Amino acid sequence: METEVKPNLKENSFQEAKLDIFGMTCANCALRIEKGLKSWEGIDEARVNFAQETAYIRWSDEKTSQDLTAKIKDIGYDANPHNDKNSSLSDSKHKDHSHSLRNRFLVSAILSIPLFYSMVSHFTWLDFLPLPVFLMHPWVQFGLAFPVQFIIGLPFYTGAYKALKNGSSNMDVLVALGTSAAFGYSLYLSIQYGLQSGDIFFLDALSLGAHAAHSIAGNLPPLYYETSAVLITFIVGGKFLESIAKGKSSEALRALLNLRPEYARVKKEGDWTEVPIEYLRVGEEFLVRPGEKFATDGKIVEGESHVDESMLTGESIPVHKKTGELVIGGSINSESGLVVKATRTGDGTILASILKTVEDAQNSRAPIQKIADRISAVFVPIVVSVSIVTFFVWYFLLDVGAFAIALENAIAVIVIACPCALGLATPVSLLVGSGMGAKNGVLFRDAESLERAAKIDWIGLDKTGTLTEGKPVVVGFHLDILSGETSLNENEFLCFLASLETYSEHPLAKSIVNYAKKRETSIIHFLKNKIHPGGGLEGKVSYQGENYKVYMGSEKFLHEMEIDMDSFLSKLRTEGSQDNSHSSQSEEKLKLNTSKVLSVILKSKNPIAYAEFNLKDPLKATTKSAISKLIAMGVTPVLISGDRKEAVEDIARELQITEYYASLKPEDKMKIVQDSKTAGHMTGMAGDGVNDAPALATADVSFGMGTGTDVAQEASDIVLVKGDLTRIVSAIQISRWTVSNIRQNFFWALGYNTLGIPIAAAGFLAPWVAGLAMAMSSISVVVNALSLNRKKLKY
């Protein structure tokens, strides 16, 4: 019983659905389904993936998925609604189809081998082979060839009929035409010879006996039953091997689907009870034992462990997770039990997002594939025309009156032409390439971005959160306690400063609080506090019976508060690295790319201490190596940041980036990217913030950090799940490998047809050899695409 797909409602009242398609034999089938669907009123978009055997359809009226499957069946193919959450039906159908091909091939081979043997035993270099007389009998050959032609080969006839009925042509037309010509001509000769000789059962012709079997051929008409039977056997066998190889091309996607556990262990009335994950709700707590997968995205509320996220992020080393940290559904708990609170469920999880992104990419069409589509659309009519011309040239010019030779060469032309290899050249490589990306934490949104990424020679890089961690840390704390003014020590002053910063949500404030906590400094309550947006904070605290006033912020803010910091700052500059100001860390650790937070503590309106925090946003661990690899790959990295000039210069110097821009607004970043495009570069842009979105949208290929904002990710062509620059290197490398693989496939498919058709027309290929070559051409393209899986990324 088919399940009705619940269409996804989109803007402008569009609905969309994904269907599994069965019965396609070549790329022309996919084009024919697309053409048939697009001609239907209300269909806004239709994309059919021959390699994946799926269709994506978007429409704007009251149609249902059952209407769509009925339409596809009317075109000549079977269809079922696709269900990502339960793919067992689709998998079962595909397995049934593969098993059907296997069984058809085996039966066909059993019936064809005697015919093939009777043919090759006539070769002069094989005339020593024994040849039973009965194999030479025309009606025995007819009896062996008939079930192959009309039972095993029936799908070719039905496919050809449906294609022609819909005003198109495909591989089925070629196979049906070529094999029918060979079979029909053999049957005609059998009947004609029998009627003319009066020996309809060929008793006289076969009376020479078994000892002269090889000479019997001279008494019989030239028959081609073996040609049609062996052709169908080779083609069905090729389709069977092709189905196995195509199944392997989707292994990465199936591996991601298998990451989803079926059940979650939820607490019910004090006990942990297993429930299907469909019933898990946001906010519920669930238990994950060692070795089990996390049912959904969540936050750890109890326990700590190492988590294997390799299938989702490409990070091979398990990540240590503790209470309060987030985990991804589908990742594996390695060590001890964890209690997790669900933060996202269903289609909102990271795994669901990854799956949708990968499937969308695999269902999309790369620009390079449009070439194949245009060729495939006219391929079959051209081949049939060439075959007809071949027949007439041989019959009237090259071997006048030799009908059998002319027909044999015409059949060879029809059979050797293979639109399948051409149609598979792009989609199978895209399946493997996008799957490889998903396994390594690189999500290509569509095939076009995967293709364009191969050509990138210039990439703009945001600083904060892209090159750096995006989480500042304190690298220097300087405190100047005015002697004789107070008995408080350094740790007590740090307590004041960190406690005031707890009232702020600014990243620098959080870093100062974390710094104080690492030094085991306590946090106290302020009587009053006030935040000055863009400036700093002020607050009042009571400690040991005394009241203190604290100001923290930029130098400009403190001057606005009429606090004189000049003497303190002058003292810092002159003392340098002597550390006479109770510095907790050496000045040597301070870099130009630090941010500064200044502070003063007053008692009775008189300053008693001054402080300075130096904070630095550290580079990500992989940034340096990634920049070096980009340069080695011929990609020019350009630092594009809204940060101040000193910080940007220092980062650029450390990373050996020669071109950099600082203090940029979002529109400035966008203009730099646009100028590079105008200069002829294939541009990339990587960023994680809202202010990067305009530049991301402008670039030819945009990379969004999976750790960044939703806006940045939505504006991106490629999402990096882990959010580090090595994934950009991976994305470009995978893209280059995939595009190179597609070009190899095109070279083989086009070269095969370009060379094969003239050779067949010239009479140098027997039809059965042409059939074998045709079957192997498709297999070779798929196997070459699968070779991508053997390539290894180096981090």
Side-chain angles (χ1 to χ4, degrees):
M1 179 177 177
E2 293 185 355
T3 305
E4 172 67 13
V5 166
K6 293 182 179 179
N8 299 316
L9 293 179
K10 296 289 185 184
E11 293 181 9
N12 302 324
S13 299
F14 281 117
Q15 302 177 61
E16 61 181 21
K18 185 177 178 182
L19 304 176
D20 294 311
I21 309 294
F22 305 96
M24 292 190 292
T25 57
C26 69
N28 276 21
C29 298
L31 293 175
R32 182 152 59 91
I33 296 172
E34 281 189 8
K35 182 180 177 182
L37 289 170
K38 288 178 179 177
S39 66
W40 203 14
E41 185 178 355
I43 299 294
D44 176 66
E45 183 179 5
R47 296 198 305 262
V48 179
N49 189 310
F50 170 52
Q52 204 176 4
E53 297 180 308
T54 57
Y56 166 79
I57 307 162
R58 195 166 72 130
W59 69 99
S60 57
D61 55 17
E62 298 302 317
K63 294 182 181 67
T64 66
S65 62
Q66 289 182 346
D67 296 330
L68 298 173
T69 56
K71 176 68 174 178
I72 291 172
K73 287 177 181 177
D74 183 60
I75 296 172
Y77 302 88
D78 289 329
N80 277 332
H82 181 85
N83 189 340
D84 287 324
K85 295 179 181 177
N86 182 13
S87 58
S88 57
L89 176 62
S90 300
D91 289 343
S92 175
K93 284 258 187 180
H94 285 297
K95 285 179 181 177
D96 289 345
H97 178 64
S98 183
H99 290 161
S100 173
L101 285 171
R102 181 198 61 191
N103 295 336
R104 286 170 59 202
F105 169 67
L106 291 175
V107 173
S108 184
I110 290 170
L111 295 171
S112 299
I113 285 173
L115 294 170
F116 185 72
Y117 180 82
S118 69
M119 176 185 67
V120 299
S121 62
H122 283 94
F123 297 161
T124 55
W125 49 281
L126 291 175
D127 59 2
F128 61 86
L129 292 174
L131 179 61
V133 173
F134 80 93
L135 287 182
M136 297 301 299
H137 199 295
W139 297 124
V140 171
Q141 292 191 9
F142 171 84
L144 291 170
F146 183 87
V148 176
Q149 185 72 36
F150 297 106
I151 298 177
I152 304 300
L154 180 61
F156 295 119
Y157 284 100
T158 56
Y161 167 74
K162 291 172 180 177
L164 295 172
K165 186 182 77 168
N166 285 278
S168 62
S169 54
N170 60 1
M171 188 199 79
D172 293 331
V173 173
L174 295 179
V175 175
L177 190 60
T179 58
S180 295
F183 184 90
Y185 183 57
S186 299
L187 180 60
Y188 166 75
L189 289 178
S190 299
I191 296 173
Q192 183 193 51
Y193 180 87
L195 292 175
Q196 288 178 351
S197 64
D199 185 18
I200 191 66
F201 295 108
F202 299 93
L203 299 177
D204 294 337
L206 297 171
S207 62
L208 292 176
H211 66 282
H214 282 287
S215 64
I216 292 175
N219 298 332
L220 297 173
L223 303 177
Y224 300 93
Y225 288 120
E226 81 285 343
T227 297
S228 64
V230 171
L231 276 177
I232 289 175
T233 300
F234 280 150
I235 293 168
V236 173
K239 286 293 175 187
F240 169 57
L241 294 176
E242 183 185 310
S243 72
I244 295 174
K246 279 165 64 179
K248 293 190 176 192
S249 70
S250 297
E251 282 182 350
L253 187 59
R254 283 198 295 273
L256 287 172
L257 285 168
N258 291 335
L259 289 178
R260 297 182 299 196
E262 296 182 5
Y263 296 93
R265 202 171 285 105
V266 180
K267 202 162 195 176
K268 300 283 186 182
E269 298 178 355
D271 295 323
W272 295 105
T273 306
E274 285 192 350
V275 298
I277 60 169
E278 291 82 6
Y279 297 98
L280 184 62
R281 298 288 179 261
V282 172
E284 284 189 308
E285 294 182 359
F286 59 96
L287 175 67
V288 186
R289 291 172 178 164
E292 292 182 342
K293 298 171 185 173
F294 291 90
T296 191
D297 298 351
K299 179 183 289 188
I300 299 173
V301 295
E302 186 180 323
E304 62 179 285
S305 179
H306 280 83
V307 177
D308 181 1
E309 299 177 341
S310 57
M311 280 299 294
L312 297 163
T313 67
E315 178 61 60
S316 58
I317 301 174
V319 182
H320 182 259
K321 300 280 186 177
K322 59 181 183 296
T323 302
E325 294 190 320
L326 299 175
V327 292
I328 304 173
S331 55
I332 301 171
N333 180 22
S334 300
E335 294 174 340
S336 56
L338 296 172
V339 178
V340 180
K341 179 182 285 187
T343 56
R344 283 184 291 221
T345 59
D347 293 338
T349 63
I350 292 175
L351 178 58
S353 175
I354 290 173
L355 285 167
K356 187 176 188 312
T357 301
V358 173
E359 286 198 328
D360 286 348
Q362 293 180 346
N363 285 324
S364 63
R365 198 171 254 115
I368 196 172
Q369 190 174 348
K370 294 175 183 176
I371 300 171
D373 291 345
R374 286 196 292 268
I375 295 173
S376 296
V378 298
F379 187 85
V380 174
I382 289 175
V383 169
V384 172
S385 300
V386 171
S387 175
I388 293 171
V389 170
T390 298
F391 175 84
F392 284 114
V393 168
W394 275 94
Y395 188 76
F396 291 108
L397 297 176
L398 298 180
D399 199 342
V400 179
F403 183 87
I405 293 176
L407 179 64
E408 190 169 329
N409 291 334
I411 291 172
V413 169
I414 287 178
V415 171
I416 199 168
C418 182
C420 295
L422 196 60
L424 286 168
T426 299
V428 179
S429 294
L430 288 174
L431 271 174
V432 179
S434 57
M436 181 189 292
K439 287 195 296 185
N440 287 278
V442 177
L443 305 181
F444 296 96
R445 287 197 182 277
D446 53 47
E448 188 173 356
S449 61
L450 190 153
E451 182 181 337
R452 285 201 308 265
K455 304 174 185 175
I456 290 176
D457 61 1
W458 184 102
I459 185 165
L461 301 168
D462 174 47
K463 183 178 77 70
T464 305
T466 302
L467 300 177
T468 67
E469 294 286 356
K471 298 176 182 178
V473 294
V474 175
V475 294
F477 171 49
H478 299 262
L479 180 66
D480 185 14
I481 302 174
L482 302 182
S483 60
E485 298 294 336
T486 180
S487 60
L488 299 180
N489 60 35
E490 179 180 325
N491 204 51
E492 289 171 310
F493 280 116
L494 180 58
C495 167
F496 288 177
L497 303 176
S499 298
L500 179 58
E501 291 287 17
T502 61
Y503 297 97
S504 171
E505 293 297 320
H506 195 282
L508 297 182
K510 293 180 179 179
S511 300
I512 291 172
V513 173
N514 289 334
Y515 172 74
K517 287 181 178 179
K518 287 180 181 178
R519 291 187 55 176
E520 298 182 353
T521 302
S522 59
I523 302 297
I524 61 175
H525 176 68
F526 265 61
L527 299 176
K528 292 182 181 179
N529 70 85
K530 182 179 181 181
I531 297 174
H532 297 264
L537 303 91
E538 62 174 295
K540 183 179 180 181
V541 63
S542 178
Y543 183 74
Q544 294 181 353
E546 300 280 356
N547 290 330
Y548 299 89
K549 191 72 178 286
V550 182
Y551 291 88
M552 295 187 72
S554 64
E555 184 178 349
K556 180 182 176 183
F557 165 70
L558 293 174
H559 279 304
E560 289 175 353
M561 295 293 104
E562 298 181 351
I563 294 172
D564 182 12
M565 299 292 293
D566 293 342
S567 59
F568 171 62
L569 295 175
S570 177
K571 186 176 181 181
L572 283 179
R573 285 192 291 268
T574 55
E575 291 181 350
S577 61
Q578 296 177 9
D579 199 23
N580 291 331
S581 55
H582 300 271
S583 173
S584 64
Q585 293 191 27
S586 172
E587 189 75 22
E588 293 176 0
K589 293 186 178 180
L590 299 181
K591 298 281 187 179
L592 288 175
N593 62 334
T594 58
S595 298
K596 291 180 172 58
V597 175
L598 299 174
S599 179
V600 62
I601 298 97
L602 297 90
K603 178 182 176 184
S604 302
K605 299 183 180 181
N606 296 315
I608 58 173
Y610 296 94
E612 179 190 59
F613 289 93
N614 292 95
L615 299 99
K616 181 180 179 181
D617 187 4
L619 289 173
K620 292 179 179 177
T622 57
T623 296
K624 281 188 179 181
S625 63
I627 294 295
S628 298
K629 288 176 182 176
L630 285 172
I631 294 172
M633 294 169 74
V635 180
T636 302
V638 178
L639 182 51
I640 302 175
S641 177
D643 207 346
R644 55 198 174 83
K645 183 179 179 181
E646 294 83 2
V648 174
E649 280 182 343
D650 191 60
I651 286 283
R653 189 184 307 111
E654 188 173 352
L655 296 174
Q656 297 182 341
I657 295 176
T658 56
E659 186 178 354
Y660 54 88
Y661 303 89
S663 303
L664 299 176
K665 297 178 181 178
E667 56 269 26
D668 298 327
K669 293 184 178 183
M670 181 177 69
K671 185 177 185 303
I672 290 171
V673 174
Q674 184 60 57
D675 288 345
S676 296
K677 288 177 68 174
T678 304
H681 291 289
M682 177 62 74
T683 59
M685 176 68 196
D688 72 333
V690 174
N691 62 334
D692 298 315
L696 289 169
T698 303
D700 294 302
V701 183
S702 52
F703 299 86
M705 299 295 168
T707 52
T709 64
D710 292 340
V711 174
Q713 291 185 47
E714 287 299 319
S716 302
D717 299 309
I718 301 171
V719 177
L720 312 176
V721 176
K722 190 168 175 59
D724 67 74
L725 285 192
T726 56
R727 307 301 158 177
I728 295 180
V729 176
S730 300
I732 295 174
Q733 186 62 73
I734 291 170
S735 176
R736 290 181 178 180
W737 283 339
T738 304
V739 171
S740 174
N741 191 270
I742 290 172
R743 287 173 179 159
Q744 292 168 11
N745 288 344
F746 266 124
F747 176 81
W748 167 249
L750 290 173
Y752 161 83
N753 285 294
T754 302
L755 293 175
I757 292 174
I759 291 173
F764 295 118
L765 282 180
W768 70 270
V769 177
L772 178 61
M774 173 187 176
M776 293 307 297
S777 67
S778 294
I779 296 170
S780 65
V781 165
V782 177
V783 170
N784 185 54
L786 291 175
S787 69
L788 281 171
N789 283 322
R790 294 198 298 269
K791 295 185 178 294
K792 301 297 181 184
L793 293 165
K794 296 179 181 179
Y795 295 108

